[in-house]
């Protein structure tokens, strides 16, 4: 489970075991494995690059999984009265949006992580207007740090 700021995750003991994280596992560069101050055992709280120790063991969702998740999310948004969404959009999600553009009932403002900028420019993604419901004109650079996840966890 990832914290709202995407800098901290909480995992269970099974995930720690699968990832091989023990009290002897060193913190990865740019990350922190939080351990119990009394026992020294990992608590399941992983910060920044330490999350990668677990996430690399999670299988990628299939196209069908992503399509199903998209449909469920759109329906839930509509139930809550949400008709427009700003989305930090991975390229694989953008492909889903385009594939499902005739089924869209919400407007999507796609904001791409800046690390994809070269490929997006090469593919002229910012020049196209896929549908009246999809806008793709923005990028997001993550340079904000994680002051909020220093002291308390809100998931």
């Amino acid at each position: 489970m990832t914290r709202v700021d995407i800098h901290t995750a909480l995992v269970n003991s099974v995930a720690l075991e699968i990832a091989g994280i023990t009290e002897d596992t060193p913190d990865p560069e740019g990350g922190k494995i939080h351990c119990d101050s009394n026992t020294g055992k990992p608590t399941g709280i992983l910060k920044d690059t330490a999350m990668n120790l677990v996430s690399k063991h999670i299988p990628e969702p299939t196209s069908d999984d992503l399509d199903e998740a998209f449909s469920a999310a759109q329906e839930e948004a509509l139930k809550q009265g949400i008709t427009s969404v700003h989305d930090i959009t991975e390229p694989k999600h953008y492909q889903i949006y385009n594939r499902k553009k005739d089924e869209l009932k919400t407007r999507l403002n796609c904001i791409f992580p800046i690390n994809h900028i070269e490929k997006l420019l090469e593919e002229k993604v910012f020049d196209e207007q896929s549908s009246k419901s999809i806008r793709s004109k923005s990028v997001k650079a993550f340079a904000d740090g994680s002051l909020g996840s220093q002291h308390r966890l809100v998931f």
Side-chain angles (χ1 to χ4, degrees):
M1 185 166 46
T2 306
R3 188 179 188 278
V4 69
D5 68 3
I6 314 173
H7 287 283
T8 305
L10 177 63
V11 302
N12 64 19
S13 58
V14 174
L16 291 171
E17 186 177 330
I18 289 169
I21 298 172
T22 69
E23 57 268 17
D24 299 321
T25 305
D27 290 332
E29 185 175 334
K32 174 82 175 138
I33 301 167
H34 287 268
C35 294
D36 184 281
S37 58
N38 294 323
T39 66
K41 293 185 187 264
T43 62
I45 299 171
L46 306 174
K47 187 157 176 50
D48 293 321
T49 60
M51 295 185 296
N52 299 338
L53 299 172
V54 171
S55 65
K56 68 183 180 184
H57 297 281
I58 300 171
E60 285 291 318
T62 66
S63 287
D64 287 343
D65 292 337
L66 293 171
D67 283 353
E68 201 173 298
F70 170 80
S71 296
Q74 178 173 243
E75 289 308 314
E76 184 61 28
L78 291 169
K79 275 193 229 174
Q80 302 300 323
I82 298 169
T83 59
S84 184
V85 176
H86 295 274
D87 178 54
I88 305 298
T89 307
E90 292 292 329
K92 64 184 172 189
H93 299 147
Y94 187 67
Q95 292 170 357
I96 294 167
Y97 300 159
N98 275 316
R99 196 170 61 246
K100 295 198 153 271
K101 65 184 170 190
D102 295 332
E103 300 171 39
L104 286 175
K105 301 172 190 166
T106 55
R107 288 182 307 280
L108 298 171
N109 181 30
C110 298
I111 305 166
F112 297 93
I114 200 164
N115 59 315
H116 298 293
I117 191 77
E118 288 181 22
K119 185 172 180 165
L120 295 164
L121 289 170
E122 181 182 301
E123 294 176 0
K124 300 187 185 316
V125 169
F126 301 114
D127 297 339
E128 65 186 47
Q129 182 64 35
S130 359
S131 80
K132 64 181 181 178
S133 296
I134 302 174
R135 181 177 185 271
S136 52
K137 303 288 183 189
S138 308
V139 295
K140 163 87 168 131
F142 291 89
D144 56 357
S146 63
L147 294 175
S149 62
Q150 293 293 325
H151 301 289
R152 65 174 218 187
L153 294 173
V154 177
F155 288 93

